Structures are given as structure tokens and as C-alpha cells.
Amino acid sequence: MEILIITGPPYSGKGTQCEILKEELKFEHISTGDRCRLEKQNETEIGKIMSQYEEKGDLVPDSIMKDLFSKILDENKSSKGIILDGYPRTEPQVNDLMQLVESKNLKIGKVINIEVPKSELLARAQKRAETSNRKDDKDAAIHLKRIEVFENATRPAIEYMKSKIKVLTFDGLGTIDEITNRIKDSL
């Protein structure tokens, strides 16, 4: 099983690109946010802990995410590949994922990093707030906090990943098709 990581700030279009690449590559798409919501909805042990963090827009502790991703890797071991969307988000998570992958004799193929200017991220967040049914999408303060958390924790993690894994950075402005074509040309 190959692992493809897609990263970038909130509202950069990661989920959209994951869905397209999922069809192209025949990989499973693992959205960290969707999986965390499922864990919460099912009131699993992990889900209950996550609820306390996500509703405030905070990141779930790395130890909890490591446990969840160990479970996810085991569940998908017979897949051709998986696309990780939203993980890893911190330097310790990068190390945790590298250890998990190595311990399970898997490999990380590439990291796709989508870059979008903050002004555009905020415009996209507002647009999503108008159409989303998620409670956390309605609060502008949470949008700002998500972007701030990305800048403070995830951007350094992406830089750190560059020393460990091949990271390809793409401009996230333009039409969905234009962004998809940029990414597909590199794969």
C-alpha cells in the first residue's frame, strides 16, 4: 500500500483534490476531519476525547492521532493506496507517522502541498459557512483560529517533512481543473 499525503491550509481545496485523486489513483481517501467526526458520532473512546478539542477549533493531541492512524493503516492494509488528508499536522505527528509507516512495512510516496494566500482562504471559509451544515463552519472566529493553528503548527511541520519525504508544492489558486492538472502532471 502506498501513502500519498495532501496538506495545505484550511480551505485550500485539499478535500476536493483528494476526491478527484481518489478516483484517478484508485486509492482510499482518509479525511482526518471526517474520520474524527465519525469517531465522535459513534462515541468511541477516541471520539469522546476528540470532541473536547475539535469543537473549539483546537488540534487533537498527537498521541490520540497516532493511535487513530495506526488503526486506519491497519484497516486499509489491503488497499492499493491511501490519501491522507489533514495528517500529519505537527512535527511530532510527522515523526509518529514515519514510525507507524516503517513499523508496518509501508511507504509514503509523495506529499502534495497546496498553497493559497490568507485573504483567499478567508473568502473560501466565508463561502463554506454559507453552505455548510457543520456547526464549526458557522463561526468566523474558528475559521481564523484554524488558519492560525495551521501557520503555527502545520506550516513548520511541512517544512520539517521536506527533510524526510518528497514534498511537492502547488499554487491553489485557479479553477479546480487547473489545480488538478498541476498536481496530476507531477504524479
Side-chain angles (χ1 to χ4, degrees):
M1 175 180 67
E2 186 177 331
I3 300 168
L4 175 67
I5 298 171
I6 298 204
T7 191
Y11 321 108
S12 61
K14 296 183 305 288
T16 299
Q17 292 303 320
C18 285
E19 286 302 311
I20 293 167
L21 291 172
K22 171 185 168 179
E23 294 303 316
E24 294 277 330
L25 301 172
K26 306 296 184 225
F27 281 17
E28 295 298 320
H29 172 206
I30 309 298
S31 162
T32 304
D34 289 348
R35 181 58 184 258
C36 290
R37 282 185 288 281
L38 183 65
E39 295 288 328
K40 290 186 323 183
Q41 178 185 346
N42 291 337
E43 297 182 355
T44 65
E45 180 109 8
I46 290 175
K48 290 175 186 174
I49 296 168
M50 290 176 166
S51 292
Q52 300 165 356
Y53 293 90
E54 283 197 347
E55 288 173 1
K56 295 182 237 167
D58 291 336
L59 290 176
V60 172
D62 293 337
S63 60
I64 301 298
M65 295 308 296
K66 183 177 182 179
D67 291 345
L68 178 63
F69 274 87
S70 179
K71 182 177 167 183
I72 287 169
L73 291 174
D74 289 343
E75 290 169 356
N76 289 283
K77 62 184 167 194
S78 64
S79 300
K80 177 180 177 187
I82 60 173
I83 302 170
L84 295 183
D85 170 8
Y87 186 85
R89 291 185 173 175
T90 64
E91 287 184 32
Q93 287 180 358
V94 171
N95 290 330
D96 287 346
L97 182 60
M98 299 291 287
Q99 289 171 349
L100 282 171
V101 166
E102 187 176 319
S103 73
K104 295 175 187 295
N105 295 317
L106 301 172
K107 69 174 192 158
I108 296 172
K110 292 181 182 169
V111 178
I112 305 292
N113 178 37
I114 302 173
E115 285 292 334
V116 177
K118 186 175 181 179
S119 59
E120 177 64 18
L121 296 174
L122 292 171
R124 291 178 184 184
Q126 180 60 41
K127 195 176 210 177
R128 188 161 114 180
E130 294 166 6
T131 60
S132 175
N133 290 324
R134 283 175 41 190
K135 180 174 66 173
D136 58 331
D137 275 341
K138 302 296 184 192
D139 187 342
I142 289 180
H143 296 307
L144 289 171
K145 186 168 189 172
R146 285 177 178 158
I147 293 169
E148 181 183 312
V149 167
F150 173 83
E151 290 300 330
N152 293 330
T154 308
R155 187 170 301 284
I158 294 167
E159 291 305 311
Y160 178 67
M161 264 193 281
K162 289 178 181 178
S163 70
K164 310 235 174 243
I165 314 166
K166 185 171 178 88
V167 177
L168 305 170
T169 298
F170 297 92
D171 180 357
L173 294 177
T175 67
I176 291 171
D177 286 343
E178 288 169 342
I179 298 162
T180 300
N181 287 335
R182 285 180 211 137
I183 293 170
K184 281 178 18 182
D185 287 348
S186 75
L187 298 176

